[in-house]
Amino acid sequence: MRRLNFYERFSRAFHDHPSLSKLLIVFTVSGGGLVAYSESKSYDGVNIAAPPELDSKKKRVVVLGTGWAGTSFLKTLKNPSYDVKVISPRNYFAFTPLLPSVTCGTVEARSIVEPIRNIVRKKNIDICFAEAECIKIDAENKKVYCQSNQGTNLNGKEEFVVEYDYLIIAMGARANTFNTPGVVENCHFLKEVEDAQKIRRTVIDCFERASLPNLGDEERKRILQFVVVGGGPTGVEFAAELHDYVNEDLVKLYPKVKDLAKITLLEAGDHILNMFDKRITAFGEEKFRRDGIDLKTGSMVVKVSDKEIYTKERGSGETSSLPYGMVVWSTGIGTRPVIMDFMKQIGQTNRRALATDEWLRVEGCDSVYALGDCATINQRKVMGDISSIFNKADKDNSGTLSVKEFQEVIDDILERYPQVELYLKNKQMRDIVDLLTDSKGDVAKESIELNIEEFKSALSQVDSQMKNLPATAQVAAQQGSYLADCFNRMEKCEENPEGPLRFTGSGRHRFRPFRYKHFGQFAPLGGEQTAAQLPGDWVSIGHSSQWLWYSVYASKLVSWRTRALVVSDWSRRFIFGRDSSRI
Amino acid sequence: MRRLNFYERFSRAFHDHPSLSKLLIVFTVSGGGLVAYSESKSYDGVNIAAPPELDSKKKRVVVLGTGWAGTSFLKTLKNPSYDVKVISPRNYFAFTPLLPSVTCGTVEARSIVEPIRNIVRKKNIDICFAEAECIKIDAENKKVYCQSNQGTNLNGKEEFVVEYDYLIIAMGARANTFNTPGVVENCHFLKEVEDAQKIRRTVIDCFERASLPNLGDEERKRILQFVVVGGGPTGVEFAAELHDYVNEDLVKLYPKVKDLAKITLLEAGDHILNMFDKRITAFGEEKFRRDGIDLKTGSMVVKVSDKEIYTKERGSGETSSLPYGMVVWSTGIGTRPVIMDFMKQIGQTNRRALATDEWLRVEGCDSVYALGDCATINQRKVMGDISSIFNKADKDNSGTLSVKEFQEVIDDILERYPQVELYLKNKQMRDIVDLLTDSKGDVAKESIELNIEEFKSALSQVDSQMKNLPATAQVAAQQGSYLADCFNRMEKCEENPEGPLRFTGSGRHRFRPFRYKHFGQFAPLGGEQTAAQLPGDWVSIGHSSQWLWYSVYASKLVSWRTRALVVSDWSRRFIFGRDSSRI
């Protein structure tokens, strides 16, 4: 509660005194790491419920994946009593928020990656890395099956099996095609570094091909029709980047075809950037219209052939087709086959991602954790536990709950059920006790006594505030460092549990449950303008947010090397423009 | 002669006063472009023999290739009376001397390339570029057949035909495998930027694969056996770069396998770097032995399988095999198929490259020029023209040649037959007249008269000094700017020919023939040490040459952008080391 209030007050201050925003920028730039710092420090005193088995030999921890969640776990892990194996098809961590910049060469691919071996080598922990893909998880026998993904000169693929005591699944997700025919064959995705590099080459390919002699104007137009499917932050940022690339750099080099290039953004919903504040959405749509980016909302893609993309209007049901040169598909995330297979094994069917509890433990199996885009937290409902809560709080077993009795378990309730806090905030209540008094009318606080039915009815609405966390880098990174912190203090917290009361059992939970803190989100809109939505619904749009974006991203990069490279890439772009060599 | 003497004196000064070398370095670094400048200025007043046809409409010039020769031609071309079409499968110029650095990430691929459209766009000339490969040259009908080399989403390959008035073939060469079985399938080459990027990925692949669990030590050793075939400057530089990469960067990240990595260099001849001074060869071989690079000279590769490379000792004929993880094949250059096909058409068979005359015109066809690695100049022999020379010089038709008569044609002879100058230099004669007096013994110079037989015998040895130019970037660049200069002054020189006397015809040649000026050559040997062989056999080895190398290469890069990028890459390498992410 304390921390949240701080942010609230912080953001309100900006509402009231807009000039403070400049101060924040200066502070962020000069401090170079404000947000990164606060984030990396955020889990002192959090914990997990799995009982640590104290063996003489080191526990084997297997981490699958080196994305935001896996890398954040590895960076935060400090306890040398584990034998850690990291398995990932990519031997590097990629700073994915800059991927759209890589597609147009604003930033180089190599500037946003850091070898995972480099990240872990200075740690005092046994961490070994294997560049391989996990192809099967066998939770029953505590084994994962892996396959090296190399080809060249190294005869066939290598398979091996790794045993674990704790398994951490942080494999992320894949692009979601919604089974639309032709998407996999004909579209570009924007999930991996390789995707971004391929898009960059294809943009140049399109311009080179459109410049060949002996082509009709219709054909040139088709080749230079770029289509972006999906109006989320990634799709919008890519469309904006591409527009800048074409209009700032390519028009100079391809003067003959510059007027033929066109960018179309297809969004199935009514608006782009619909997870953002309406002001941002409106500004983004207006800016795109001014820029000449063709925005088609309410337009669902039904099929993609090798030369045309077929859409259906959501309202009228009308279908139409658009000839294209390149399509980038960015409509959200889907489940990786190996995760799908694992979910089947443990009886979690018909889900997009692995269900975990609030301590990130996969439901239905032992010693397996899942975090990042491949997992969602199943938040426990207050109403499911309401009788247990009542019984636990009713210390004198009187059958009624006094405010005093209730106040003794308030902190535990707030910690165990974060939706309660959200509900109070939403109702603009300052204290959970207000919930109880509300239902009792004008009675003096101290004398209120509720029976079980009254208690149920008082809390009946709180679960309505539950929602899944977004599939963002921010969530994954916080989960990774949270889990590492639990592993760091596994033994200590076994002896002195730190978590909330177990309402449905005895004693306390060993660790505090995972709690996400939202630091805000950016939506770069091109032309050196960015929309920023910071906590407390503080919205900032324009050039100053662009500089905030620069400084936050520079500070959050994983190493001084990448920081130096990205900043020098940005400077290079300002001075020399973006490169258009097809390599 | 004047220029050569300057270089001779210059280099002798360094022999006598070694401290001057430091001065040179400082000068080169601070000047940042000494050599580049002198080179770019070198063809004022040179010319070519093709008669320009004066048409009302612009002459169509087609340039095939955007390597050193083609790009240098485009950069130097100033005459706006041409309609230039450039056709190349690569839309950029690559600074190839830095390719070995790209293989290990000392320099990034994108730092050494510059889009060809960027190079030509500020010129006041009609130059248009098409990204396509020339697949057939039809000199009879003055046409070239081209094919776009794109795949992705752009249904099939596009073919088109381009007509020309002048054709400039500057397509370079491909790697020469000497038809050794298995080389194309299993080896890496180092000719293109893509090759260097592939090598970089493969080196990391080898280390990652060797680090996988469940592998035997023998297998790990095999995977980390790197083989370089060919002890020329490229092979040697790559071996040195790889050694530095492994020992400076990778050992820290792959501590478990670092002792298994081994580099073997196979050279069929007796020594590596055999085109360099013996001191450089000896130093290089000694340094490689100290570094633990396994140097096998006199070892010919007879076959490459997917896991082993088979060699035969040149002396003993003994064969042996070596298991490997990666082979880089760098044994010189071969002919591209399209050039081979063209040579067949014009009756130039059994040659490695297109034969041209001293004005770079392809022998046996009209208005076609060839330069760079795909061409060799057929230097005209003095002895083939000896009677014509005698007749031309014998102005009074007396049947004998006086020294005075001879002196009048000396400059023309020296210009038309550069081997004469080399011969004199080799024999340490100061003047061509010494050749004549030599054969006559003690007679006073003024009274010497030679008949045709005496003249023939006096010059009988001069052709022995003829040799082909090396296939280097330096030669190609000079040829490109020479040819552009001829095109720039085509009309002017038609009216006022500048070339030497036509000994076998009447009048003068329109342009001076192409003359190569050697500015020296570097052989980087790793560990911040480079061998430099400068004109006049001045040899410098060690750290100071490395700095000379840095400054010369930085100054010769094609644009300020690439210059800034390469220098920042070098700094990045010094500060952070080389990146090992597999992208």
Side-chain angles (χ1 to χ4, degrees), chain A residues 168-371:
Chain A
I168 294 162
I169 305 175
M171 300 168 79
R174 61 168 176 178
N176 195 351
T177 64
F178 302 102
N179 293 321
T180 313
V183 173
V184 173
E185 298 83 354
N186 300 306
C187 296
H188 288 265
F189 299 106
L190 191 39
K191 290 286 297 171
E192 310 283 341
V193 176
E194 284 87 353
D195 296 338
Q197 291 176 305
K198 233 167 78 187
I199 290 175
R200 182 171 184 180
R201 275 194 296 272
T202 307
V203 172
I204 295 298
D205 272 353
C206 289
F207 273 86
E208 286 297 352
R209 189 167 173 105
S211 307
L212 289 179
N214 307 1
L215 280 184
D217 253 16
E218 268 316 297
E219 181 68 0
R220 287 184 214 275
K221 252 187 197 165
R222 178 186 75 76
I223 294 169
L224 291 176
Q225 169 70 61
F226 299 96
V227 180
V228 183
V229 183
T234 309
V236 166
E237 186 176 351
F238 169 67
E241 274 280 349
L242 182 61
H243 173 264
D244 286 358
Y245 186 29
V246 170
N247 288 283
E248 290 170 13
D249 299 291
L250 295 183
V251 289
K252 295 179 204 153
L253 299 186
Y254 300 85
K256 284 183 190 157
V257 297
K258 65 176 179 181
D259 297 325
L260 304 175
K262 193 174 168 195
I263 301 167
T264 299
L265 180 69
L266 303 176
E267 161 63 43
D270 290 333
H271 291 286
I272 59 168
L273 298 174
N274 53 29
M275 67 292 294
F276 282 89
D277 190 281
K278 274 178 193 150
R279 286 166 286 175
I280 292 181
T281 299
F283 180 87
E285 290 179 351
E286 175 54 30
K287 179 168 190 309
F288 273 20
R289 290 215 173 89
R290 263 201 327 270
D291 285 349
I293 296 175
D294 188 23
L295 196 60
K296 286 191 180 149
T297 52
S299 189
M300 281 161 52
V301 176
V302 290
K303 198 180 111 183
V304 184
S305 79
D306 60 344
K307 281 181 156 186
E308 297 199 336
I309 183 163
Y310 299 87
T311 55
K312 190 169 132 186
E313 289 308 301
R314 221 170 26 126
S316 62
E318 218 173 285
T319 59
S320 58
S321 74
L322 180 69
Y324 72 87
M326 180 175 95
V327 177
V328 173
W329 188 272
S330 164
T331 57
I333 56 174
T335 323
R336 288 189 189 278
V338 58
I339 300 286
M340 210 114 74
D341 175 72
F342 179 55
M343 291 199 297
K344 231 180 256 166
Q345 264 183 62
I346 59 174
Q348 293 191 1
T349 40
N350 292 322
R351 295 182 53 85
R352 192 201 56 76
L354 281 164
T356 71
D357 63 16
E358 296 89 335
W359 290 267
L360 309 184
R361 292 173 300 186
V362 174
E363 290 183 348
C365 55
D366 200 32
S367 307
V368 180
Y369 302 82
L371 44 166

Side-chain angles (χ1 to χ4, degrees), chain B residues 162-196:
Chain B
V162 181
E163 298 189 337
Y164 65 82
D165 295 311
Y166 299 111
L167 179 65
I168 294 162
I169 306 175
M171 300 170 77
R174 60 170 177 179
N176 195 350
T177 63
F178 302 103
N179 293 322
T180 313
V183 172
V184 173
E185 297 84 354
N186 301 304
C187 296
H188 288 265
F189 299 106
L190 191 38
K191 290 285 297 169
E192 310 284 340
V193 176
E194 283 87 352
D195 297 339

Side-chain angles (χ1 to χ4, degrees), chain B residues 8 43 50 53 78 138-139 156 168 201 231 236 254 300 312 535 542:
Chain B
E8 267 182 340
Y43 288 107
E53 298 162 271
K78 288 191 190 72
D138 180 357
I168 294 162
R201 275 196 295 271
V236 165
Y254 300 86
M300 281 159 52
K312 190 168 133 187

Side-chain angles (χ1 to χ4, degrees), chain A residues 91 117 150 205 208 582, chain B residues 91 117 150 205 208 254:
Chain A
N91 77 351
R117 293 174 186 276
Q150 290 187 17
D205 272 353
E208 286 297 352
R582 195 207 171 273
Chain B
N91 78 350
R117 291 174 188 276
Q150 291 186 19
D205 273 352
E208 285 298 351
Y254 300 86

Side-chain angles (χ1 to χ4, degrees), chain B residues 39 84 167 185 299 320 542:
Chain B
E39 200 159 312
V84 184
L167 179 65
E185 297 84 354
S299 191
S320 58

